Amino acid sequence: MYNAHSNLPLATTLSQLEEAAACPFDSARPIPAALNHAQAFHQHEQQAVFSQEWVCVGRADEVPEPGDYLTHQISETPVLLVRQQDGSLKAFVNACAHRFACLMPAQKGSAKRFTCRYHAWTYDCSGQLLRAPGMEMKTGFDVSRHRLRPLHCSSWEGFVYVTLAEQPRSDPATSLAPLREQIVGRFDMACYQTVMRESMVWDANWKNLVENFTESYHVPVVHRKTFAKHNKPLQDYVCGEDSDYYCYHRATQPEDSGSGAAHADNHRLEGEWRRMMVDFCVFPSHLVTLMPDYLWYISVQPQGSDRMLASWGVAVPPEVLADIGDAQYESWQAEFKRYIEVANDEDKDLVQALHQGSASAILPEGTYHPIERNLWQFTRYLARVCAK
């Protein structure tokens, strides 16, 4: 959809971004509207952000056994994540080494071999070509010289990240160490077990969802059917330190039992952390709501300046799952899924409204609430990776 911002030159949008990032938080204004619509900036993001940064593709427990795989999309690149025989994880471009047909179309599964549907070229879990029918007719063809294109992957706190970069600037385990040591490590997210994985497409810019997720100012107004029931006063929210790699805010709920509180058999958390909620974003696009009794995560990808794909999942600690019998599991899972879908529906109209409203060339100046510091931190991140 074209509007007053669509054809703005890249230099103009980068100048607006740098100006916004240079403001101290007390006088900061919302992310420049043009960044959600300008086609030149959208194309620049694909290279500066999604072709260089680490993107969450899922959770390690989703691929527990050798041959288990997940597929994901990073910008325009299809990704294949595979558990290896030695227990490690490897990632590849999900495209056959022959003429680049998408190799595995299913979102997840398990296979001893990966065979292309087009010409039956077959690969092992390490990405090596095993068989290429009829290619003996090509003089000098050697299967050992053809393989899937490998990608860097890394695990952190149960999440798996992949980057398209040839030489990654950092590694999640290193760049996110302060977040683990100071805040989320005590939850031991790696022990949480994934119970669902879904996806959704919204008519908004990917940054609109990141903005929405990284502030809880809207929760009492928008999430009356879901998260607002935890009754966390706005003045109790604490925004975390500035970082080049992440942002977060946290708050405790009044009740020390029930939804949002630690199970009696949770021996990892102590004191107020037994009823603590942490919302964090691993830049650029990995969003997590972390609580003692579950976590909900979203990995956002642009599908144009006005459309986004969000893959989301829920994981639950083992002590919570232990209370759910086999007979009740399906109904419990279905009810949990409905809860998250209601929360998503509560957000959807507002996130799309952010995109719709920011299409105007005539807007107020805008401002931030004190607990919206994470949005300013996200703007500073964008300026660091896009405007350099």
Side-chain angles (χ1 to χ4, degrees), residues 195-196 293-295 312 314-316 331-341:
V195 296
M196 66 189 76
D293 57 342
Y294 76 94
L295 68 80
W312 62 269
V314 172
V316 177
S331 60
W332 168 85
Q333 184 189 50
E335 183 59 31
F336 209 141
K337 182 180 178 183
R338 280 192 292 270
Y339 178 81
I340 297 297
E341 287 176 339

Side-chain angles (χ1 to χ4, degrees), residues 209-222:
L209 180 54
V210 174
E211 288 181 277
N212 180 78
F213 198 101
T214 54
E215 56 94 348
S216 287
Y217 183 32
H218 74 283
V219 169
V221 179
V222 177

Side-chain angles (χ1 to χ4, degrees), residues 39-248:
Q39 295 304 304
F41 186 79
H42 168 69
Q43 293 300 321
H44 180 64
E45 279 181 330
Q46 306 315 298
Q47 180 58 41
V49 179
F50 289 99
S51 292
Q52 298 298 321
E53 299 290 89
W54 291 93
V55 172
C56 177
V57 300
R59 288 185 52 80
D61 75 307
E62 295 181 86
V63 284
E65 301 297 330
D68 290 350
Y69 69 88
L70 283 177
T71 63
H72 197 78
Q73 190 85 8
I74 300 179
S75 188
E76 298 176 351
T77 299
V79 173
L80 176 66
L81 178 75
V82 186
R83 180 72 69 179
Q84 302 296 298
Q85 290 296 324
D86 64 1
S88 65
L89 287 169
K90 290 187 182 297
F92 310 96
V93 176
N94 187 15
C96 180
H98 173 211
R99 280 178 30 218
F100 322 130
C102 180
L103 185 62
M104 303 303 292
Q107 188 177 68
K108 64 184 300 183
S110 185
K112 293 181 179 179
R113 301 285 187 270
F114 298 94
T115 300
C116 182
R117 298 159 291 158
Y118 206 169
H119 301 94
W121 281 36
T122 301
Y123 306 84
D124 66 14
C125 290
S126 73
Q128 180 59 55
L129 180 63
L130 300 176
R131 179 173 175 270
M135 289 302 291
E136 66 275 4
M137 297 170 62
K138 181 181 177 72
T139 302
F141 182 81
D142 182 356
V143 295
S144 68
R145 296 177 58 190
H146 299 269
R147 57 175 297 117
L148 300 180
R149 175 68 181 268
L151 298 169
H152 294 281
C153 73
S154 181
S155 297
W156 175 79
E157 291 291 304
F159 291 104
V160 183
Y161 298 88
V162 172
T163 179
L164 306 184
E166 291 279 357
Q167 297 181 321
R169 300 185 182 117
S170 61
D171 180 84
T174 301
S175 58
L176 301 177
L179 179 61
R180 182 188 64 79
E181 293 165 2
Q182 299 169 28
I183 303 294
V184 303
R186 67 195 79 212
F187 288 84
D188 187 15
M189 290 186 290
C191 81
Y192 286 38
Q193 299 174 36
T194 303
V195 296
M196 66 189 76
R197 178 185 175 95
E198 302 288 337
S199 61
M200 56 194 183
V201 176
W202 290 359
D203 295 326
N205 187 274
W206 70 277
K207 296 184 291 297
N208 296 138
L209 180 54
V210 174
E211 288 181 277
N212 180 78
F213 198 101
T214 54
E215 56 94 348
S216 287
Y217 183 32
H218 74 283
V219 169
V221 179
V222 177
H223 291 294
R224 293 175 182 172
K225 297 177 182 178
T226 53
F227 306 136
K229 293 183 178 181
H230 291 290
N231 297 316
K232 293 185 283 290
L234 291 180
Q235 59 268 27
D236 288 354
Y237 283 88
V238 177
C239 290
E241 69 278 1
D242 298 339
S243 168
D244 287 342
Y245 303 102
Y246 62 84
C247 65
Y248 69 89

